[in-house]
Amino acid sequence: MDQNVLLQMKDITKTFPGVKALDHVSLTVKAGTVHALMGENGAGKSTLMKCLFGIYAKDGGQIFLDGKEINFKNSKEALENGVAMVHQELNQALKRSVMDNLWLGRYPKVGGLMVNERKMYKDTVKVFDELGIKVDPHRIMSTMPVSQRQMVEIAKAVSYNSKVIVFDEPTSSLTEEEVEHLFKIINMLRDRGVGIIYISHKMAEIKRISDEITIMRDGTWVATRPAAELEMQDIIRLMVGRELTNQFPPKTNKPGETYLEVKNLTAQYSLLKDVSFKARRGEILGLAGLDGSGRTETLENIFGVATRKSGTITLGGKPCKNRNARESIKNGFALLTEERRATGIFGVLSIRENTVISSLKKHLRLGLYLSNASMKKDTQWSIDAMRTKTPTQETKIRSLSGGNQQKVILGRWLLTEPEVLLLDEPTRGIDVGAKYEIYQLIIDLANKGKTVLMVSSEMPELLGVCDRILVMSGGRLAGEVDARNTTQEEIMTLAAKYV
């Protein structure tokens, strides 16, 4: 074996009921390099990494670390032997402090019994200083935005002094500034000889940070090449098995009369203050802004899942109170949340149960029982319309890839036949092929006269899909731009207006 080779995975296979998730997949990672792992949702990237990390037991194949064969039985064993993973879906103790989360399961002790709080604080500060992370170690996790929690998770992985670190969609909830910070950390780790496995759907990132790229499709290995040899179109073709010439579908929707009007919206428990705007039928209205600017809070206050201090909502000229989610759904609103794991999916339930849960009244017969045939029919419609990759309707949603989970949630809301769709980061963690499908779906909905409000941290996405873009800054509306005539620079200038 090449002395520079740090990790080698050979002919890895993994089967779940009804689906072969990995079919003889191989991966070689060299010390001091960033190896990107790419593929559509459901290609098997996360499954392969979970086999390495001990979350899944592989069915076949071998894994070598530093030339020695390994077979971790759990993540604790992996971490103790120099393999760390920053997961796409954060799984943190939200009621505990930052430093508790950093040292969970390995607290420094006094006399082998008491937790040494002073040492834990000192060690946390040392790790944060080394990585340039500015977070109070005593702060409770639930009080921080997702992006800061993600940085804590990255610091935790680095704190194990790992030989191999897997980053699974690490930038999906980070701001541009934080992405730059992450890349500095990755370059520092690369210089130390750490092997980095980097999973992302963001092409520009992959080209910028990677040394080598491995592409997977439908659970199989497709290609491994030096990053410098692959152009974006080559990567897309290898990923999806076909040419994808346009990133965005043509904008065929034609906005009509004003339908939704929000006046002086102010939140009770967040910085959102005095937000007013109008949205038309058949319009896709984007919400841009930096992390913590109030984009998510705007959608949550409209939908009634956050407490409104003041302000009014008018729909079709009629006042609309939207005091809670139930009332909002009744009034024709739907909210796709930013964090699908925490507030989107019911992990222990099946695809079918997750799909029909918001539209159960449609399937009620004689007011006594739910029609299984009716629920099956609607679920199949959702699977077909979203092109969701799943073995059966009975499959537990937690066993699907993140992108396919997102498609199930989107299908769930479409079955409620909403008039206003509130979409918070609808393509977060979704591959380029599936993104196009979701963009097309959003445009199709606008063509049917639906009003769509869409929050996104990806500027090209807002410019490519939306008609107008509202720019939030410091909890206020900083400005409004026409998506056809604006630039990323103009949006960023407005986003910094009240910061």
Side-chain angles (χ1 to χ4, degrees), residues 197-215:
I197 300 171
Y198 192 91
I199 300 174
S200 177
H201 293 303
K202 297 179 180 177
M203 301 282 173
E205 273 181 19
I206 292 289
K207 284 289 291 171
R208 188 177 151 199
I209 198 77
S210 311
D211 299 299
E212 287 186 286
I213 299 173
T214 288
I215 294 157

Side-chain angles (χ1 to χ4, degrees), residues 136-419:
D136 178 4
H138 291 299
R139 192 167 172 185
I140 301 301
M141 291 295 283
S142 61
T143 65
M144 303 197 308
V146 183
S147 59
Q148 282 191 350
R149 284 168 42 205
Q150 182 80 306
M151 293 307 281
V152 171
E153 201 66 12
I154 290 161
K156 184 177 180 176
V158 173
S159 73
Y160 276 93
N161 295 319
S162 307
K163 299 170 190 171
V164 175
I165 301 180
V166 180
F167 289 92
D168 191 356
E169 293 287 348
T171 65
S172 59
S173 56
L174 300 185
T175 63
E176 283 183 29
E177 197 179 327
E178 286 162 335
V179 170
E180 290 303 319
H181 188 178
L182 171 66
F183 286 175
K184 277 184 192 166
I185 292 171
I186 286 174
N187 286 326
M188 182 183 79
L189 294 168
R190 176 162 43 193
D191 292 344
R192 283 186 194 168
V194 175
I196 308 280
I197 300 171
Y198 192 91
I199 300 174
S200 177
H201 293 303
K202 297 179 180 177
M203 301 282 173
E205 273 181 19
I206 292 289
K207 284 289 291 171
R208 188 177 151 199
I209 198 77
S210 311
D211 299 299
E212 287 186 286
I213 299 173
T214 288
I215 294 157
M216 293 176 66
R217 191 193 316 143
D218 297 328
T220 61
W221 174 90
V222 175
T224 298
R225 307 249 184 95
E229 288 179 13
L230 289 169
E231 294 304 318
M232 284 193 193
Q233 281 306 119
D234 301 325
I235 297 169
I236 292 168
R237 192 182 67 254
L238 289 165
M239 271 173 62
V240 302
R242 63 186 190 275
E243 291 287 346
L244 201 68
T245 49
N246 295 318
Q247 199 179 346
F248 303 102
K251 289 187 194 177
T252 52
N253 60 305
K254 290 179 172 57
E257 74 281 0
T258 297
Y259 185 57
L260 171 71
E261 194 168 351
V262 173
K263 275 187 181 174
N264 310 115
L265 192 69
T266 302
Q268 181 73 55
Y269 301 112
S270 73
L271 46 68
L272 196 69
K273 191 179 179 187
D274 207 27
V275 172
S276 299
F277 63 87
K278 292 176 183 178
R280 295 176 286 172
R281 273 197 179 278
E283 181 175 34
I284 303 166
L285 184 63
L287 272 84
L290 303 171
D291 200 43
S293 62
R295 300 169 305 172
T296 295
E297 289 80 0
T298 300
L299 298 193
E300 288 177 345
N301 273 271
I302 291 170
F303 196 67
V305 289
T307 309
R308 202 179 309 136
K309 186 178 181 182
S310 60
T312 59
I313 301 165
T314 310
L315 193 67
K318 294 175 185 173
C320 206
K321 288 199 163 57
N322 285 10
R323 285 167 291 206
N324 51 51
R326 187 191 293 265
E327 196 174 302
S328 298
I329 294 167
K330 200 175 166 187
N331 289 332
F333 287 77
L335 171 66
L336 186 83
T337 57
E338 179 185 8
E339 287 190 76
R340 58 178 165 256
R341 185 172 178 177
T343 54
I345 65 164
F346 298 89
V348 295
L349 299 183
S350 69
I351 307 283
R352 186 184 305 144
E353 289 161 327
N354 270 278
T355 301
V356 301
I357 201 156
S358 293
S359 55
L360 288 173
K361 275 188 181 175
K362 279 172 69 179
H363 310 292
L364 202 59
R365 299 293 179 265
L366 306 171
L368 296 170
Y369 68 96
L370 292 166
S371 165
N372 216 24
S374 172
M375 291 192 290
K376 274 184 180 176
K377 187 182 171 189
D378 270 6
T379 304
Q380 198 54 50
W381 173 86
S382 172
I383 289 169
D384 294 342
M386 303 289 132
R387 297 192 196 175
T388 309
K389 285 182 184 172
T390 175
T392 68
Q393 294 189 10
E394 281 77 33
T395 303
K396 296 264 190 292
I397 194 169
R398 66 183 175 198
S399 68
L400 296 190
S401 67
N404 281 304
Q405 289 177 5
Q406 190 80 316
K407 288 179 179 182
V408 172
I409 304 166
L410 199 49
R412 172 203 296 168
W413 283 118
L414 295 187
L415 287 168
T416 67
E417 297 174 2
E419 291 302 320

Side-chain angles (χ1 to χ4, degrees), residues 49-87:
M49 291 302 98
K50 284 174 181 175
C51 288
L52 165 67
F53 201 55
I55 295 170
Y56 292 155
K58 64 185 184 327
D59 296 333
Q62 295 171 290
I63 304 174
F64 298 91
L65 184 66
D66 271 339
K68 293 174 190 165
E69 188 165 358
I70 54 161
N71 196 13
F72 301 136
K73 291 178 179 63
N74 52 51
S75 53
K76 185 173 185 287
E77 208 174 284
L79 287 162
E80 286 167 355
N81 285 278
V83 177
M85 187 168 173
V86 179
H87 296 273

